[in-house]
Amino acid sequence: MAALDSSEERKLTPREREVLKWTANGKTAWEISIILDIAESTVISHLRNARTKLETVNVVQTIVEAVRRSEITLDAPSLLEPPKRGT
């Protein structure tokens, strides 16, 4: 895999963005794991990966940087509802 050029920013995955949005809305890793039906350790891994990609040191800085880069927005109304499941 080729190294990223200094002007090229690493993009977050859809799941990393989703986890960051829930975190920005005050949910804990455990709560996010219940909402998304994934393991808490997976949520923590997504947060760690986002922090690494955005070169930040904590979750607050990661959220701010993701907003700055337009990776996430904080005004998504659908964020407040859990994802729909098949019936």
Side-chain angles (χ1 to χ4, degrees), residues 7 9 20 35 42 49 53 56-57 70 78:
S7 65
E9 295 178 347
L20 277 178
I35 292 165
T42 303
N49 291 341
K53 287 178 181 180
T56 57
V57 297
S70 300
S78 63

Side-chain angles (χ1 to χ4, degrees), residues 42-53:
T42 303
V43 173
I44 293 167
S45 178
H46 287 309
L47 289 170
R48 184 182 330 105
N49 291 341
R51 200 167 52 245
T52 299
K53 287 178 181 180

Side-chain angles (χ1 to χ4, degrees), residues 57-78:
V57 297
N58 60 46
V59 71
V60 173
Q61 186 184 15
T62 304
I63 292 166
V64 169
E65 186 63 17
V67 169
R68 189 189 72 74
R69 293 185 188 193
S70 300
E71 289 274 3
I72 64 170
T73 59
L74 301 181
D75 57 353
S78 63

